Amino acid sequence: MGLSKLSSTLVLPKTLVFLISISVIDELVPGDYTLFSDYKPTGKPERVSVVKVKAPGTSSSITEIEIKNTKVFGNTKVELSFDKPKVQANEEVMISFNLKNAANNNPVNDLQPYLGEAGHLVIVKKSESITASDYIHAHALPGKTTEPIRFATQFPEKGTYKVWGQFKRNGEIVTADFWVNAL
């Protein structure tokens, strides 16, 4: 089953409305998935809801984790870097996404705000049973969109994490994913 983007608006009891957006690159692979939705009801603290779903079919082998700090996503080359040589659990770290034009390696100059921010960062810890406590969401720090987009965060425990940076470039959403080890 091919699926490029799925977006839906949910109306929950007490008129809470939020948007869930899932981007899947090739095909929806059979297996178990964990969906996160974070939202902030008016006058209340931020909340994270977790939904577990299963895509029917025979599960394929698990994808090998590749630790790589530079990748190309469409016409955007993304370099992931940290302000420290090693990412340490329970220590604040500055994560930077340097976005370049993949064709000429020049810095991009067409970034636009996405959902009111220069960028969004989502981090999920690799775990047998993923829960809301394995999920982190951060917004980009203020800065020029011609410089690397920076986020301040921390990895709460030692382990392997999937990191997604999301940016809007010339009207298109760029979602850059990387694996990171926290020591």
Side-chain angles (χ1 to χ4, degrees):
M1 171 184 188
L3 180 66
S4 60
K5 288 187 180 178
L6 169 66
S7 295
S8 61
T9 301
L10 303 177
V11 180
L12 300 178
K14 299 183 183 178
T15 66
L16 173 64
V17 178
F18 60 97
L19 180 70
I20 296 176
S21 177
I22 305 166
S23 296
V24 179
I25 307 259
D26 295 316
E27 293 185 351
L28 187 61
V29 177
D32 297 323
Y33 292 85
T34 304
L35 306 179
F36 294 92
S37 177
D38 64 6
Y39 51 97
K40 187 177 182 326
T42 304
K44 307 239 181 187
E46 183 177 328
R47 296 183 181 167
V48 176
S49 295
V50 178
V51 176
K52 304 274 187 174
V53 296
K54 184 175 188 75
T58 304
S59 295
S60 60
S61 62
I62 295 175
T63 306
E64 186 177 319
I65 293 174
E66 184 178 26
I67 307 293
K68 197 173 175 180
N69 286 4
T70 301
K71 292 182 175 181
V72 175
F73 303 92
N75 64 353
T76 307
K77 178 180 175 182
V78 181
E79 297 170 349
L80 177 73
S81 63
F82 305 94
D83 65 336
K84 300 175 182 176
K86 303 255 185 211
V87 175
Q88 299 291 325
N90 288 314
E91 289 184 12
E92 186 165 296
V93 64
M94 190 70 62
I95 300 176
S96 296
F97 289 84
N98 191 8
L99 283 65
K100 296 182 178 182
N101 186 314
N104 59 22
N105 212 34
N106 289 333
V108 299
N109 59 6
D110 52 3
L111 287 179
Q112 302 163 308
Y114 176 53
L115 299 175
E117 303 289 341
H120 294 266
L121 174 71
V122 169
I123 301 171
V124 178
K125 186 173 189 289
K126 184 179 180 297
S127 171
E128 288 296 318
S129 180
I130 299 172
T131 66
S133 65
D134 296 315
Y135 173 89
I136 299 166
H137 176 204
H139 295 133
L141 297 172
K144 297 177 183 175
T145 57
T146 55
E147 298 174 351
I149 308 298
R150 300 175 318 130
F151 300 85
T153 191
Q154 69 176 347
F155 295 82
E157 300 175 348
K158 291 180 181 180
T160 303
Y161 292 80
K162 186 75 167 206
V163 174
W164 291 269
Q166 211 167 37
F167 315 93
K168 187 173 184 181
R169 182 172 179 217
N170 197 27
E172 298 288 323
I173 305 305
V174 176
T175 302
D177 66 298
F178 297 90
W179 286 100
V180 174
N181 285 322
L183 308 174

